[in-house]
């Protein structure tokens, strides 16, 4: 080793090797960091979704009343009123029973949904005039729910597995600080390429979702307001407003009279329960 | 007598409809403000119902001079549901109609008057007059047998008379089992002499005959098992008792010398299966039955099988709009062929269902039933509906019948093409 130091040419060579090594190392490091960074944005997005989901575990069952106000671009409105029963899924998606009270011509119509973490949900419709229970297709994710600006996928049970995630940035949302993440629907029949979602850092509640259609242009914005906490743990928004930017129409969805752990069980979410849903 | 009671029921229905309807309408809006917190699923007594005003215009002159070109009809229904604190309930639902032309279409019926009791261990009991629907097909309800058809209401046969029953249900994860005891038989209703959409000969319902000596008191039994296996919904059922489908036997009325049809109700056994496979936008449907004891058009009581198989496929968001278009097709088969006493012996049904998915729930269903053995025999229909407000809805309907074969059921209806508009007030 000593001999090398004696030769200036050797020193020169050593310097060159060092510099080259440093460059390679720097390049490598930066590549690794970039890679690690990219992984972080997606892992971070997923981690946020997982945490939000974890904080909402164990609510059991819910009863609530819903009022929807559908407004067209001229400001004319129509009302939908329904009651909802929900049962938290164990291992699979949640089960829901929706009974319509208004408008009067669909009074007593009931919709039973067994949602699944992957694949289509199972759905049955009860038509009271014929006393008929009909299994219906649930593949129309992007279809309008009772003529409103909400589609079936907007209202269906939000499972971790239904999206891929990416953290975008942190920013203020009102008085709070929010994570902003993108949710990319896994289902090819979803009406969206992505959903830009604002989730607050303190309680992991969703405050806003921007929906981007298949052409990646902004289609709708959903805002969540009037959050209340139940059982000292579970946060529920009581006013959801969906605005369609492309048509100027909007739907306000009010949740009322939330009740938790009312003693509902699987027996209240079977096909035969549709007949006594009203 | 019947006309009088129907009128009374209707008058009461209209009054209650207006009073309760206005009240509940305001109530619904008041509830919107959410000032009274109560369990949304445990109201005590709920009152709902509807009143319909219907006008029918027949496009051709009638076969019989007593029949009219235009008819007006008023019908009403009230449903009272009383919920007990433990989740049990009692439902009472009377129905009545006043018709300008047909004295038999002016009638009333108790559609429901039943207790629904929730018993321990996932058992449930329905006791009283009620209604049960079996089946999956759209163009003909082949296996549906518990309730008798109210034949004066609509030629589609979807209106049913209330059936007295004890129905015990056991609903488990392995499936749902229903056991029926039906202690009283309801006779089918038929249009009167001045009513249209009827057989060329008058049906003398007062002379109805039965195979069972017990007549209407013959106890009928049925059992049904229903299970969902992923995408498949499967129904298996068995029925023993008096057939809901009468054989219509020509007979001479000695007093007038007129030839009339007399309903004969045989005792039958029927085993049936219904299945629907739901995948993506496809609904694949099948109904099949095996029946023993039912006379065919010649009066021969051979066992036979009958089936309907088909699909419904929906194109979502057609032409980049919110609306959907469903394509329906069903093939009907009856082993008895030309001797079958049904318009669906060897036929194909094709239909289109357009759903606007708008705030008014606008839908249009167009369908054609084509006989596969006789090119000239077919039926066409269009049904459309649109909501006008929270209480009002408009329904339009048109039906056309074609047949050159006097033995086909459509032959009797060949001059009974009609268009109909109905305004419905719901409360």
């Amino acid at each position: 080793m000593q001999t090398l130091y004696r030769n200036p040419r050797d020193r020169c060579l050593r310097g060159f090797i060092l510099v080259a090594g440093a460059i390679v190392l720097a390049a490598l490091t930066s590549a690794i960091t970039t890679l690690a960074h990219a992984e972080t944005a997606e892992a971070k997005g997923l981690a946020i979704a997982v945490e939000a989901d974890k904080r909402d575990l164990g609510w059991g069952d819910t009863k609530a009343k819903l009022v929807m106000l559908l407004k067209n671009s001229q400001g004319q409105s129509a009302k939908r009123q329904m009651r909802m029963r929900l049962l938290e899924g164990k291992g699979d998606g949640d089960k829901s029973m929706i009974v319509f009270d208004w408008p009067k011509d669909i009074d007593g119509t009931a919709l039973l949904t067994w949602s699944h973490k992957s694949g289509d949900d199972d759905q049955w419709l009860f038509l009271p005039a014929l006393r008929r229970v009909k299994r219906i297709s649930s593949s129309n994710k992007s279809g309008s729910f009772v003529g409103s600006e909400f589609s079936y996928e907007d209202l269906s049970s939000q499972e971790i597995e239904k999206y891929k995630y990416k953290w975008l940035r942190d920013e203020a949302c009102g008085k709070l600080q929010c994570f902003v993440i993108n949710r990319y629907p896994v289902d090819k029949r979803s009406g969206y390429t992505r959903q830009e979602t604002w989730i607050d850092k303190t309680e992991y509640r969703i405050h806003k979702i921007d929906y981007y259609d298949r052409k990646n242009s902004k289609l709708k914005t959903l805002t969540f307001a009037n959050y209340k906490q139940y059982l000292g743990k579970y946060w529920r928004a009581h006013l959801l407003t969906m605005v369609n930017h492309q048509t100027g129409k909007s739907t306000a969805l009010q949740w009322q009279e939330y009740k938790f752990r009312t003693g509902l069980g699987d027996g209240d979410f079977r096909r035969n329960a549709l007949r006594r849903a009203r | 007598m019947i006309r009088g009671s129907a009128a009374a029921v209707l008058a009461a229905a209209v009054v209650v409809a207006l009073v309760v309807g206005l009240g509940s309408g305001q109530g619904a809006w008041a509830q919107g403000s959410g000032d009274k917190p109560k369990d949304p699923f445990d109201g005590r007594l709920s009152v709902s119902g509807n009143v319909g005003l219907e006008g029918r215009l027949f496009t051709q002159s009638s076969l019989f001079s007593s029949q009219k070109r235009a008819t007006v009809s008023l019908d009403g229904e009230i449903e009272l549901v009383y919920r007990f604190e433990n989740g049990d309930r009692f439902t009472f639902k009377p129905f009545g109609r006043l018709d300008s032309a047909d004295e038999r279409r002016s009638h009333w019926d108790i559609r429901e008057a039943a207790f629904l009791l929730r018993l321990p261990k996932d058992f449930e009991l329905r006791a009283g007059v009620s209604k049960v629907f079996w089946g999956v097909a759209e163009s003909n309800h082949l296996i549906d047998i518990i309730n008798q058809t109210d034949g004066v209401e609509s030629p589609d046969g979807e209106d049913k008379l209330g059936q007295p029953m004890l129905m015990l249900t056991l609903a488990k994860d392995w499936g749902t089992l229903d056991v029926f005891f039906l202690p009283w038989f309801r006779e089918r209703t038929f249009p009167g002499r001045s009513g249209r959409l009827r057989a060329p000969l008058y049906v003398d319902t007062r002379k109805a005959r039965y195979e069972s000596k017990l007549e209407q008191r013959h106890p009928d039994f049925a059992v049904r098992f229903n299970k969902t296996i992923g995408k498949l919904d499967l129904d298996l059922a068995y029925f023993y008792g008096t057939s809901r489908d009468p054989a219509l036997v020509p007979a001479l009325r000695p007093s007038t010398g007129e030839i009339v049809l007399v309903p004969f109700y045989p005792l039958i056994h029927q085993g049936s299966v219904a299945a629907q496979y739901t995948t993506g936008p496809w609904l694949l449907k099948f109904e099949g039955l095996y029946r023993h004891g039912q006379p065919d058009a010649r009066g021969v009581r051979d066992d036979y099988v009958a089936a309907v198989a088909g699909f419904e496929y929906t194109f979502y968001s057609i032409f980049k709009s919110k609306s959907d278009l469903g394509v329906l097709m069903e093939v009907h088969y009856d082993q008895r062929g030309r001797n079958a006493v049904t318009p669906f012996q060897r036929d194909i049904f094709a239909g289109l269902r357009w759903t606007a998915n708008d705030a008014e729930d606008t839908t249009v269903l167009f369908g054609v039933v084509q006989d596969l053995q006789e090119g000239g025999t077919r039926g066409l229909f269009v049904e459309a509906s649109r909501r006008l407000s929270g209480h009002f809805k408009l329904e339009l309907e048109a039906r056309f019948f074609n047949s050159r074969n006097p033995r086909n059921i459509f032959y009797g209806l060949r001059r009974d093409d009609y268009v109909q508009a109905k305004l419905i007030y719901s409360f």
Side-chain angles (χ1 to χ4, degrees):
Chain A
M1 290 288 271
Q2 285 288 331
T3 50
L4 272 174
Y5 280 95
R6 271 183 223 128
N7 188 333
R9 245 188 83 204
D10 283 352
R11 248 181 229 175
C12 193
L13 186 69
R14 187 173 170 260
F16 176 76
I17 290 168
L18 263 173
V19 170
I23 288 168
V24 168
L25 198 72
L28 256 169
T29 317
S30 96
I32 288 166
T33 334
T34 320
L35 214 71
H37 193 74
E39 202 187 324
T40 311
E42 268 132 39
K44 194 172 170 183
L46 176 66
I48 294 163
V50 168
E51 178 62 25
D53 187 67
K54 207 176 92 186
R55 288 182 183 221
D56 202 48
L57 280 178
W59 50 268
D61 68 82
T62 300
K63 287 181 182 178
K65 205 176 217 174
L66 281 87
V67 179
M68 265 189 181
L69 278 176
L70 286 54
K71 282 200 187 112
N72 65 14
S73 47
Q74 287 90 49
Q76 293 168 306
S77 68
K79 190 175 67 155
R80 302 281 181 273
Q81 203 166 295
M82 59 207 104
R83 287 162 294 157
M84 194 173 205
R85 278 176 274 208
L86 285 163
L87 185 69
E88 189 175 6
K90 297 177 190 81
D92 202 354
D94 302 336
K95 290 177 180 175
S96 74
M97 177 81 84
I98 299 172
V99 187
F100 291 90
D101 290 332
W102 188 274
K104 279 291 162 186
D105 62 291
I106 57 166
D107 185 10
T109 303
L111 180 69
L112 170 66
T113 307
W114 293 1
S115 59
H116 299 300
K117 291 191 171 183
S118 60
D120 286 345
D121 295 344
D122 298 335
Q123 267 187 337
W124 293 267
L125 189 67
F126 176 66
L127 304 167
L130 300 177
R131 291 288 187 264
R132 179 174 181 182
V133 175
K134 213 171 163 177
R135 174 88 175 252
I136 58 170
S137 165
S138 66
S139 69
N140 187 21
K141 314 271 184 227
S142 58
S144 159
F145 179 74
V146 295
S148 75
E149 295 312 309
F150 287 88
S151 66
Y152 281 93
E153 66 182 311
D154 301 339
L155 294 170
S156 73
S157 123
Q158 300 293 314
E159 308 293 337
I160 298 267
E161 293 82 353
K162 287 185 175 176
Y163 304 94
K164 297 272 179 245
Y165 302 86
K166 188 177 183 180
W167 171 81
L168 298 173
R169 60 187 180 272
D170 291 353
E171 68 178 33
C173 48
K175 287 174 192 159
L176 298 162
Q177 278 294 311
C178 270
F179 300 112
V180 186
I181 64 168
N182 255 342
R183 305 197 295 192
Y184 306 91
V186 172
D187 195 310
K188 288 185 183 69
R189 282 166 302 181
S190 165
Y192 313 117
T193 41
R194 61 190 180 95
Q195 303 174 359
E196 204 167 309
T197 309
W198 279 256
I199 299 172
D200 75 68
K201 291 184 172 181
T202 34
E203 299 287 351
Y204 285 80
R205 296 166 300 199
I206 297 181
H207 289 259
K208 189 169 101 166
I209 304 176
D210 280 339
Y211 295 91
Y212 289 82
D213 67 13
R214 281 291 172 194
K215 289 179 202 135
N216 203 18
S217 49
K218 198 163 157 186
L219 176 63
K220 302 187 289 190
T221 296
L222 175 61
T223 48
F224 297 73
N226 303 353
Y227 266 105
K228 276 183 210 157
Q229 198 176 24
Y230 292 91
L231 306 175
K233 190 173 178 194
Y234 308 105
W235 289 96
R236 293 290 179 269
H238 288 66
L239 178 63
L240 282 71
T241 312
M242 183 74 92
V243 178
N244 188 318
H245 303 295
Q246 296 180 1
T247 63
K249 293 182 185 176
S250 69
T251 300
L253 170 61
Q254 274 181 282
W255 289 82
Q256 300 169 350
E257 300 168 35
Y258 256 117
K259 280 185 164 38
F260 283 81
R261 295 185 188 157
T262 60
L264 294 173
D266 281 321
D268 298 293
F269 297 88
R270 290 200 182 101
R271 245 182 75 149
N272 69 306
L274 278 164
R275 285 196 54 133
R276 53 177 154 81
R278 174 144 64 168
Chain B
M1 199 45 200
I2 286 173
R3 197 181 254 271
S5 38
V9 167
L10 268 166
V14 172
V15 171
V16 173
L18 293 174
V19 173
V20 176
L22 294 171
S24 74
Q26 286 160 357
W29 281 105
Q31 280 161 17
S33 59
D35 43 0
K36 254 193 283 170
K38 65 175 200 312
D39 193 321
F41 278 89
D42 301 332
R44 304 309 300 274
L45 179 69
S46 73
V47 182
S48 60
N50 59 73
V51 180
L53 182 64
E54 166 198 295
R56 255 184 205 174
L57 198 64
F58 292 87
T59 61
Q60 292 151 294
S61 59
S62 58
L63 280 173
F64 308 101
S65 58
S66 59
Q67 295 175 324
K68 303 280 189 299
R69 273 296 279 273
T71 67
V72 181
S73 202
L74 183 70
D75 71 278
E77 193 173 69
I78 309 175
E79 184 168 4
L80 303 160
V81 181
Y82 186 83
R83 290 175 190 76
F84 299 90
E85 249 155 55
N86 60 2
D88 295 345
R89 66 179 63 193
F90 179 73
T91 307
F92 181 63
K93 190 172 158 190
F95 162 86
R97 174 184 295 281
L98 267 181
D99 192 79
S100 69
D102 186 352
E103 71 285 356
R104 279 194 182 164
R105 203 164 179 245
S106 294
H107 73 306
W108 62 275
D109 183 43
I110 305 293
R111 296 294 201 225
E112 285 198 52
F115 283 96
L116 177 65
L117 311 173
R118 294 190 71 179
L119 308 175
K121 310 236 178 227
D122 297 313
F123 278 100
E124 195 178 288
L125 182 70
R126 188 177 300 267
V129 175
S130 195
K131 181 172 165 181
V132 170
F133 179 88
W134 290 358
V136 293
E138 297 298 320
S139 52
N140 182 28
H141 304 310
L142 180 69
I143 66 156
D144 190 31
I145 196 167
I146 298 294
N147 290 73
Q148 179 60 272
T149 301
D150 195 351
V152 294
E153 280 297 303
S154 166
D156 68 11
E158 286 191 341
D159 295 275
K160 299 288 172 178
L161 298 170
Q163 171 65 48
M165 67 174 76
L166 279 177
M167 172 185 172
L168 185 69
T169 299
L170 175 60
K172 290 282 191 189
D173 286 333
W174 47 257
T176 301
L177 189 70
D178 298 320
V179 181
F180 299 84
F181 171 66
L182 311 164
W184 179 259
F185 179 78
R186 301 292 311 273
E187 288 179 1
R188 184 170 294 184
T189 55
F190 292 93
R193 273 182 216 282
S194 49
R196 297 189 67 154
L197 299 157
R198 67 170 173 94
L201 296 174
Y202 177 72
V203 180
D204 193 351
T205 49
R206 281 176 301 179
K207 294 278 193 300
R209 292 186 298 112
Y210 290 84
E211 179 173 354
S212 167
K213 282 189 191 122
L214 292 170
E215 301 195 329
Q216 285 184 293
R217 294 185 312 279
H218 183 273
D220 300 342
F221 294 93
V223 54
R224 176 193 187 222
F225 176 71
N226 160 253
K227 187 174 173 63
T228 299
I229 312 155
K231 293 175 174 181
L232 180 73
D233 281 40
L234 186 69
D235 274 5
L236 299 171
Y238 192 83
F239 171 90
Y240 167 69
T242 301
S243 177
R244 273 53 183 153
D245 303 322
L248 296 173
V249 185
L252 187 73
R253 225 187 204 185
S255 54
T256 56
E258 183 193 8
I259 293 175
V260 293
L261 295 173
V262 172
F264 169 69
Y265 293 99
L267 286 173
I268 60 157
H269 290 266
Q270 174 177 306
S272 67
V273 54
Q276 183 178 315
Y277 189 78
T278 309
T279 179
W282 289 95
L283 310 180
L284 306 175
K285 300 169 171 194
F286 176 83
E287 285 183 31
L289 65 78
Y290 180 91
R291 196 181 272 196
H292 168 84
Q294 182 80 41
D296 67 12
R298 301 163 300 170
V300 176
R301 298 174 71 167
D302 283 342
D303 294 3
Y304 70 96
V305 294
V308 47
F311 69 83
E312 177 163 357
Y313 181 91
T314 306
F315 295 95
Y316 297 114
S317 309
I318 51 161
F319 310 122
K320 311 217 160 157
S321 70
K322 276 171 88 176
S323 60
D324 302 334
L325 186 69
V327 178
L328 297 90
M329 192 164 277
E330 289 175 353
V331 179
H332 301 272
Y333 169 83
D334 190 306
Q335 191 186 351
R336 300 168 298 174
R338 289 175 196 270
N339 293 316
V341 225
T342 158
F344 299 102
Q345 82 287 20
R346 303 278 159 91
D347 292 74
I348 188 162
F349 160 78
L352 289 175
R353 190 201 306 274
W354 181 72
T355 313
N357 291 321
D358 55 359
E360 293 80 23
D361 267 346
T362 312
T363 58
V364 180
L365 175 66
F366 165 80
V368 54
V369 177
Q370 172 65 51
D371 195 298
L372 294 172
Q373 290 172 304
E374 299 159 11
T377 299
R378 77 182 68 87
L380 261 88
F381 70 89
V382 185
E383 293 171 0
S385 72
R386 185 177 169 86
R387 180 181 304 127
L388 303 175
S389 75
H391 288 292
F392 285 98
K393 186 181 178 180
L394 183 66
E395 287 182 354
L396 301 173
E397 182 180 311
R399 289 180 193 276
F400 306 96
F401 310 93
N402 250 313
S403 184
R404 283 189 289 273
N405 175 8
R407 290 178 61 196
N408 194 287
I409 288 172
F410 282 169
Y411 184 79
L413 308 176
R414 68 195 182 282
R415 299 194 67 81
D416 287 338
D417 297 349
Y418 70 87
V419 291
Q420 172 184 307
K422 187 174 183 181
L423 183 67
I424 302 166
Y425 173 81
S426 307
F427 55 91

